[in-house]
Amino acid sequence: MNGTMSEEGKGPRHVILAYSGGLDTSVAIPWIKEKYGAEVTTLTVDVGQEGELGDALERARANGARDSVFVDLKEAFAEEFLFPGLKANALYQGVYPLSTSLARPLIVRALVETARRLGADAVAHGCTGKGNDQVRFDVGVKTLAPELRIIAPVREWDMNRTDEMAFARERGLHIHQKPESPYSVDENLWGRSVEGGILEDPAAPPPEEVFDWTGHPDTWPAGPEEVTVGFQEGVPETLDGHMLSPVELIRTLNRRAGRHGIGRIDHVEDRVVGIKSRETYECPAATVLIQAHQALESLVLPRDLLSFKAGVDRRFAELVYEGFWYSPLRSALEAFEDSTQATVSGEVTLRFFQGTSKVVSRKSPYSLLSRELVTYDRGSTFPQRAAEGFIHLYGLANRTAYARRKEAHPLGEEGEIPAPGPVLPPP
Ligand code: ARG
């Protein structure tokens, strides 16, 4: 059907491997060459990971890659993935800002583009068979480029960390040896995720050593710090009145909120492969930007839109998490989200202090909050007398239903019918 099957017997000739520079993807280079007899070109994508990518290019070649490609896609990541997520206040299960999940479709796109440009016939990634990332990579590649074969060495080989180290030693691979860290870390502009070791026990509080972007209570600044975020149609553009590039803005907030210990997330998460896992994240900028964005929306969007949008936001987050970035539904929801943002412009001030961020001020030229309507002082234009007639009709349907049910069950012995409270005179 799709070319992949018919070529299965032949094996791939040239594989583009998504390369982070870590142990798994370094071991994957010789493993693919030996197992498939294929050439390997590595692709390293800069999505704003703070850990150094420095010598990843040389190391890929030293470890046997035919060539190594590096692309800086930080701006595209922010503009095409993070900001659509922000407009949707995207939080999986209400807490996780989808930092890893949002990066995957961008890396998929880069893999596919690189494979096409170099005439490769396969792509590879270092995801395990237990996680969401394999789903996002495979679904994405099969959608954008059904002709490409997908190789997932870590899912195929039967090696643990010790086996991999031995494999690497036998072949003299150049590995960046992090001294025995039991943790698996994934980083980009939108956050940092840490898994493994003691964190696998949901009863164990995360040890301080797993955190890198957020300060320990002992190092929190003594006093509060305020920062004002300026939004234009749902997109953050300024901090304290200064225009910043999307990447600079996000990085600055990671630092400023992170210092106060903001953005730590400890979550028992439901993966798409059907398992629950304890996940630990540090997402300072994402946390405070979503908070500020929501605060602005609450000022400028009408009640029914806010309520409906919350449902769309949740679905959008689920689609991103589940690996369906490239889907008609996700695109349609993005169009909906965009259409809600025309008036989401203005400024929100957050106060960071002792591990928390609070909204203390919000303003917008499109504010729906009218002082003349809401004030209890002089000058109110709200027609309070009209409230009486409004309330009479507003409660009519349920008043009638309540009366009929009392007639049907006069003693109210049915548990579902609440005992009548004190009866008020009709208006
Ligand atoms: N559980 C998160 C997600 O599925 C984070 C995954 C981290 N990925 C990794 N390769 N370390 O989005």
Side-chain angles (χ1 to χ4, degrees):
M1 273 282 288
N2 59 14
T4 313
M5 300 307 268
S6 59
E7 279 167 38
E8 197 103 284
K10 285 191 250 152
R13 283 177 294 104
H14 183 190
V15 183
I16 310 297
L17 167 68
Y19 185 66
S20 69
L23 177 64
D24 289 336
T25 52
S26 294
V27 167
I29 301 171
W31 188 87
I32 292 170
K33 290 170 63 180
E34 292 171 27
K35 166 101 195 262
Y36 291 98
E39 301 224 68
V40 175
T41 294
T42 60
L43 171 69
T44 302
V45 183
D46 183 355
V47 280
Q49 46 277 59
E50 297 283 334
E52 90 285 15
L53 291 168
D55 56 348
L57 290 188
E58 294 89 83
R59 249 170 334 114
R61 273 175 241 152
N63 290 338
R66 161 171 129 180
D67 201 358
S68 54
V69 178
F70 176 86
V71 277
D72 177 354
L73 296 179
K74 293 194 291 288
E75 289 291 331
F77 184 40
E79 284 170 11
E80 297 174 51
F81 295 84
L82 302 183
F83 289 167
L86 178 58
K87 289 175 185 173
N89 303 307
L91 293 170
Y92 179 60
Q93 298 189 316
V95 293
Y96 164 43
L98 297 162
S99 38
T100 294
S101 328
L102 283 161
R104 297 318 188 206
L106 173 64
I107 298 171
V108 163
R109 191 172 84 188
L111 273 174
V112 167
E113 279 168 7
T114 307
R116 292 200 169 138
R117 186 165 57 78
L118 300 181
D121 54 354
V123 296
H125 57 70
C127 306
T128 74
K130 288 190 172 181
N132 299 310
D133 288 325
Q134 55 167 349
V135 178
R136 299 172 187 138
F137 273 110
D138 289 16
V139 167
V141 170
K142 282 170 182 281
T143 302
L144 297 188
E147 75 281 6
L148 289 176
R149 189 158 159 181
I150 301 167
I151 299 172
V154 179
R155 202 164 56 191
E156 295 176 28
W157 69 41
D158 217 353
M159 292 196 277
N160 62 22
R161 208 181 153 79
T162 317
D163 301 333
E164 287 184 49
M165 294 296 290
F167 183 100
R169 219 173 306 111
E170 279 160 30
R171 286 156 186 80
L173 297 188
H174 300 241
I175 306 288
H176 250 320
Q177 256 289 49
K178 292 233 180 61
E180 290 312 306
S181 167
Y183 304 113
S184 151
V185 174
D186 184 58
E187 277 186 356
N188 63 52
L189 281 178
W190 213 229
R192 179 171 181 272
S193 111
V194 198
E195 287 167 281
I198 184 74
L199 294 172
E200 288 178 356
D201 176 3
E208 207 48 43
E209 66 182 13
V210 307
F211 298 110
D212 188 25
W213 291 12
T214 53
H216 181 270
D218 295 346
T219 69
W220 289 347
E225 174 178 350
E226 287 186 1
V227 58
T228 298
V229 186
F231 286 89
Q232 189 64 36
E233 300 195 11
V235 172
E237 290 192 335
T238 61
L239 288 187
D240 299 326
H242 302 292
M243 223 23 203
L244 292 176
S245 77
V247 174
E248 270 316 304
L249 187 140
I250 293 167
R251 286 216 148 131
T252 304
L253 280 177
N254 273 332
R255 277 196 300 276
R256 287 180 65 177
R259 271 182 352 122
H260 292 265
I262 293 159
R264 292 188 177 185
I265 298 159
D266 183 342
H267 177 214
V268 172
E269 186 172 297
D270 288 274
R271 294 190 187 165
V272 297
V273 292
I275 54 185
K276 281 189 188 286
S277 67
R278 193 283 192 85
E279 305 278 333
T280 307
Y281 303 104
E282 296 180 278
C283 305
T287 300
V288 301
L289 281 172
I290 293 172
Q291 183 185 27
H293 181 258
Q294 270 179 320
L296 190 54
E297 285 189 330
S298 67
L299 187 67
V300 301
L301 299 185
R303 178 169 77 154
D304 55 357
L305 180 51
L306 278 173
S307 162
F308 188 85
K309 184 178 182 295
V312 177
D313 291 353
R314 187 172 48 75
R315 194 75 186 91
F316 187 95
E318 286 169 356
L319 288 166
V320 173
Y321 187 83
E322 291 162 1
F324 292 118
W325 180 270
Y326 299 109
S327 69
L329 178 55
R330 215 260 335 138
S331 307
L333 297 189
E334 183 174 337
F336 168 83
E337 297 285 3
D338 273 338
S339 78
T340 65
Q341 300 296 298
T343 59
V344 186
S345 301
E347 289 191 337
V348 177
T349 301
L350 302 159
R351 183 175 293 154
F352 303 154
F353 191 47
Q354 299 197 329
T356 60
S357 165
K358 287 206 169 99
V359 173
V360 293
S361 157
R362 67 293 269 160
K363 58 177 183 236
S364 167
Y366 309 110
S367 169
L368 301 179
L369 194 161
S370 155
R371 216 183 116 70
E372 294 88 78
L373 289 177
V374 82
T375 184
Y376 289 112
D377 290 343
R378 251 172 231 298
S380 167
T381 57
F382 187 87
Q384 294 201 53
R385 312 280 318 248
E388 198 181 328
F390 161 74
I391 292 164
H392 183 64
L393 298 183
Y394 182 69
L396 179 60
N398 279 313
R399 238 169 34 231
T400 308
Y402 189 81
R404 291 298 167 272
R405 288 170 70 149
K406 248 174 61 184
E407 283 163 25
H409 298 278
L411 299 176
E413 69 277 12
E414 295 257 315
E416 54 173 333
I417 299 173
V423 178
L424 300 173

